[in-house]
Amino acid sequence: MATTAPNRVMVKEMSWDPITRIVGSLGIHTEIDFSNQSVLKCYSTSMIFRGFDIFMRGIDPRDTHFITSRICGICGDNHCTASCLNQNMAYGVKPPPLGDLAFNCAEAADYIFDHAIFNDCMANVDFCEQMVKETNPSLLAKAENTSAPGSDIHGYKTIADIMRSLNPFTGEFYLETLHVARYTREMYCLFGGRHTHPSTIMPGGCSADITHQTCTDFYVRLMRYMDYVKRSVPMHDDLYDFFLTELPGYDDVGYRATNLVNWGCFDDPDYVDYDYRNMTEWGRKRYITPGIAINGELVTTDLVEINLMIRILLGSSYFDGWENEPTFVDRDPLGNPVDKNHPWNKVTLPKPQKRDFTDKYTWVVSPRIYDKRTDTHVCCDTGGGPFARQWCTAKAGLVDFGYVKATGHSLQMVLPRSPTMPEMELEWKVPEKSNAVERDRARTYHQAYGALICMHNVERAMKEVQAGRTKSWNKFKVPDTAVSCGFHEAARGVLSHHMVIRDGKVANYQPYPPTPWNASPRDVYGTPGPYEDAVQNTPIFEENGPENFKGVDIMRAVRSFDPCLPCGVHMYTGNGRVTKQQHTPTAMA
């Protein structure tokens, strides 16, 4: 549907539903002003509904990590880990050091797997030769004649050569990344048993038989990855810098204010005790520092404060409010008041209905951060995961474990000598803007960061094994009542599990992965979610007109967040009633 005003302004509705190269059913619905090459409106939708937080009521808490790992076929291990951290707090159990280190090695291996496969087999397909040829042929012509500054490291002479290496199923780097995905998953399985539904990660620690051979097998694969990532980072820098240089204003594609959420991850066994009352201290000792950024300011690194700032809002979501439901938790274990809209008190009350972009249009809720300084509910995003994690960690300046040092404005990394490449130093500097290119750039640097967390933790694990301290699991007892939370990070961002136990059973269980934060719709205050906000007002650089428009700039903006929709929505069939609903592709008229 297009409209033309007297001044020849052309506005056209365009929808991509579902978005390809992601997991799940994300729909992006837009109004585009082709006269001014800009997106006017954007709505983010997901029409699938699941009900983990409903059918987990009344179960044995010890089953929660097995069940929640089935929330997603991509992030199942992240959910399992978050649930185990949650249970450790509920049961008051501290794993032996080797158990904590096993968690860290497994999850860091998952990060390097996930970021490699997403960056170069999904997101960067939008930057490959085939895509650029179809959407920006004049840019490809420039790329053919532009030397790649890092060619002596990554081996590609021109920017166009880099683009060709990313062509799906034929590009050299694309195909290499598929092999990387295989052996990095093997790294995870050495500690987690299997991926993506772990068999050896559990409350109290890890049940894997961790030996010298386990650590050696992990280390050998990690060294192979070090060779890969040393070429990957400069290659991506060359590609992204080319776009920013040759397309002035491209730093506004996917731009939104720097409002970030990051729970931090990878606990240091020397400090963590999983006690909520000590969470401020051990949270700040994590290898990735927790933090909330509002309008470019790091406002806190305190996990207790962060927990109490979380609000779950509705607005445009297919749910009823729970204001008339009983309150599960009115005070946290430190005596702080807990809001009715906090996950501990949230009750899932699904209400299917027709999609209406003026009212309700998605199954995704709207998590927000409550800023008591201004009495506002801030719409924060994860920056696709790596952007928020590195931004908060760099700004906080707390991390320094030899391989990585946070300086207050950057992350300095030292990658040790690997089989075919010498030692390499990298520095990720906090960017001025949160946009599509910088989210993607942060992801490739996070591959190096994740590899260095692997290195540090497997070295510590080896020392434990060599010293004969091979115990990796401790016994525990399920209490009759408990209030707990597990703060972790999935590859694409924040992941928290909140649990209330009564009479030894789960009374309320609310998992909040990164997708609700990023894919949320307009909330009760009318504030758009991050996908919507990042796409609205995004400039259009694609050379195609309305008739053969592919929306590559919009896709780059959305995919920069590393979308994974299964975690954001919930499915519940009640007593077996079949519901059939039909709607128009856009429903914006």
Side-chain angles (χ1 to χ4, degrees):
M1 175 180 171
T3 60
T4 305
N7 60 356
R8 303 182 64 81
V9 172
M10 174 178 281
V11 177
K12 188 171 183 178
E13 282 185 21
M14 304 201 80
S15 295
W16 293 263
D17 191 354
I19 301 287
T20 56
R21 279 185 270 126
I22 66 168
V23 178
S25 58
L26 173 63
I28 294 293
H29 307 266
T30 65
E31 286 184 2
I32 301 174
D33 178 358
F34 280 97
S35 301
N36 295 301
Q37 292 293 95
S38 179
V39 181
L40 297 179
K41 293 181 181 179
C42 177
Y43 298 87
S44 170
T45 68
S46 186
M47 304 309 292
I48 295 178
F49 172 58
R50 302 184 299 167
F52 282 81
D53 40 1
I54 294 176
F55 60 68
M56 287 180 68
R57 298 173 193 162
I59 70 168
D60 189 315
R62 292 170 293 184
D63 290 335
T64 57
H65 59 293
F66 292 118
I67 295 174
T68 56
S69 79
R70 271 69 181 177
I71 287 176
C72 183
I74 300 294
C75 304
D77 61 291
N78 306 138
H79 280 285
C80 175
T81 300
S83 178
C84 290
L85 300 180
N86 187 9
Q87 291 179 74
N88 286 346
M89 182 179 290
Y91 310 152
V93 59
K94 164 74 168 74
L98 191 58
D100 286 325
L101 294 169
F103 275 39
N104 291 347
C105 286
E107 286 298 271
D110 174 72
Y111 279 25
I112 62 178
F113 151 78
D114 195 293
H115 295 318
I117 198 76
F118 183 79
N119 235 14
D120 292 313
C121 296
M122 299 180 199
N124 278 333
V125 172
D126 290 332
F127 295 87
C128 77
E129 178 202 34
Q130 293 177 21
M131 184 64 73
V132 177
K133 183 178 181 179
E134 293 180 11
T135 57
N136 294 86
S138 64
L139 187 66
L140 180 59
K142 290 182 181 179
E144 294 283 8
N145 297 303
T146 302
S147 298
S151 61
D152 59 328
I153 300 174
H154 53 66
Y156 298 108
K157 292 183 178 180
T158 68
I159 301 300
D161 289 336
I162 295 175
M163 292 178 176
R164 273 186 283 276
S165 78
L166 296 171
N167 282 338
F169 307 111
T170 60
E172 181 183 45
F173 206 80
Y174 180 101
L175 293 173
E176 181 179 356
T177 300
L178 294 179
H179 290 288
V180 168
R182 175 182 56 78
Y183 67 74
T184 48
R185 278 212 163 169
E186 291 173 354
M187 289 171 65
Y188 180 90
C189 293
L190 286 166
F191 290 96
R194 61 184 180 185
H195 194 290
T196 183
H197 310 306
S199 55
T200 57
I201 301 297
M202 56 187 61
C206 176
S207 67
D209 182 19
I210 303 172
T211 65
H212 184 278
Q213 189 65 50
T214 308
C215 297
T216 300
D217 288 345
F218 187 92
Y219 181 84
V220 168
R221 289 164 174 79
L222 177 59
M223 283 294 99
R224 184 178 177 187
Y225 187 85
M226 285 290 184
D227 275 348
Y228 168 83
V229 80
K230 286 174 183 176
R231 290 183 292 114
S232 179
V233 173
M235 185 191 84
H236 288 92
D237 269 339
D238 288 352
L239 179 64
Y240 300 143
D241 288 343
F242 173 78
F243 269 78
L244 294 175
T245 300
E246 297 299 330
L247 296 175
Y250 211 80
D251 58 347
D252 285 330
V253 171
Y255 167 78
R256 71 184 305 264
T258 306
N259 295 319
L260 304 172
V261 283
N262 159 47
W263 303 158
C265 47
F266 305 121
D267 291 300
D268 188 328
D270 292 342
Y271 298 95
V272 65
D273 64 3
Y274 300 98
D275 189 325
Y276 183 93
R277 295 167 296 181
N278 302 324
M279 189 163 65
T280 299
E281 288 73 29
W282 56 256
R284 286 178 173 148
K285 295 294 186 178
R286 290 182 153 187
Y287 292 116
I288 292 176
T289 308
I292 299 288
I294 297 178
N295 293 323
E297 176 190 356
L298 183 63
V299 298
T300 183
T301 58
D302 183 345
L303 265 181
V304 171
E305 184 178 7
I306 288 170
N307 176 51
L308 297 171
M309 294 170 78
I310 301 173
R311 302 288 185 273
I312 307 301
L313 304 183
L314 297 179
S316 302
S317 310
Y318 297 141
F319 296 94
D320 281 333
W322 53 92
E323 58 275 2
N324 296 322
E325 297 293 320
T327 298
F328 289 99
V329 182
D330 57 5
R331 297 273 172 178
D332 74 353
L334 286 168
N336 300 306
V338 177
D339 193 81
K340 184 70 173 179
N341 289 326
H342 186 274
W344 273 327
N345 292 320
K346 192 253 188 183
V347 179
T348 303
L349 302 172
K351 188 178 182 181
Q353 55 194 281
K354 179 181 178 180
R355 186 166 70 184
D356 180 357
F357 285 117
T358 65
D359 189 16
K360 314 287 186 184
Y361 56 86
T362 184
W363 281 109
V364 182
V365 297
S366 296
R368 298 291 186 259
I369 289 295
Y370 178 68
D371 186 357
K372 62 183 179 182
R373 303 171 306 171
T374 57
D375 190 28
T376 56
H377 293 78
V378 183
C379 177
C380 293
D381 67 78
T382 74
F387 187 89
R389 287 197 287 269
Q390 292 184 172
W391 196 100
C392 294
T393 302
K395 286 281 189 177
L398 299 177
V399 166
D400 185 359
F401 58 90
Y403 292 117
V404 179
K405 179 178 176 60
T407 68
H409 57 83
S410 70
L411 292 175
Q412 296 174 343
M413 309 180 208
V414 179
L415 281 68
R417 182 178 179 179
S418 50
T420 67
M421 300 191 74
E423 180 181 289
M424 176 183 285
E425 294 184 6
L426 298 173
E427 185 174 20
W428 180 84
K429 298 178 181 179
V430 173
E432 293 182 5
K433 288 185 175 182
S434 175
N435 57 31
V437 167
E438 295 304 339
R439 290 182 205 111
D440 288 335
R441 190 196 305 271
R443 190 174 298 113
T444 193
Y445 274 83
H446 211 63
Q447 291 176 241
Y449 195 169
L452 295 174
I453 291 174
C454 283
M455 178 67 73
H456 178 72
N457 280 272
V458 76
E459 288 175 345
R460 291 189 65 176
M462 184 71 83
K463 289 179 181 178
E464 291 296 309
V465 172
Q466 290 172 339
R469 297 186 292 268
T470 56
K471 185 179 181 181
S472 59
W473 180 82
N474 280 328
K475 294 181 179 180
F476 57 84
K477 181 179 179 181
V478 178
D480 289 334
T481 61
V483 173
S484 60
C485 53
F487 283 101
H488 186 44
E489 289 271 320
R492 52 205 41 83
V494 293
L495 174 58
S496 61
H497 283 208
H498 292 78
M499 179 167 65
V500 178
I501 298 175
R502 290 181 179 173
D503 299 323
K505 303 293 183 181
V506 172
N508 196 21
Y509 200 103
Q510 294 287 331
Y512 276 91
T515 299
W517 290 91
N518 294 329
S520 67
R522 287 157 175 78
D523 60 30
V524 66
Y525 300 104
T527 306
Y531 292 168
E532 298 174 331
D533 185 36
V535 171
Q536 287 182 167
N537 300 313
T538 275
I540 300 298
F541 288 83
E542 181 177 338
E543 295 170 24
N544 295 324
E547 300 310 315
N548 57 349
F549 185 68
K550 297 186 181 300
V552 67
D553 303 303
I554 294 171
M555 295 300 101
R556 287 173 184 149
V558 173
R559 291 196 184 102
S560 70
F561 288 96
D562 192 353
C564 184
L565 266 291
C567 290
V569 296
H570 301 283
M571 176 171 154
Y572 177 61
T573 58
N575 294 319
R577 179 168 57 90
V578 176
T579 301
K580 181 178 180 180
Q581 179 174 315
Q582 295 177 324
H583 54 76
T584 61
T586 64
M588 292 179 66

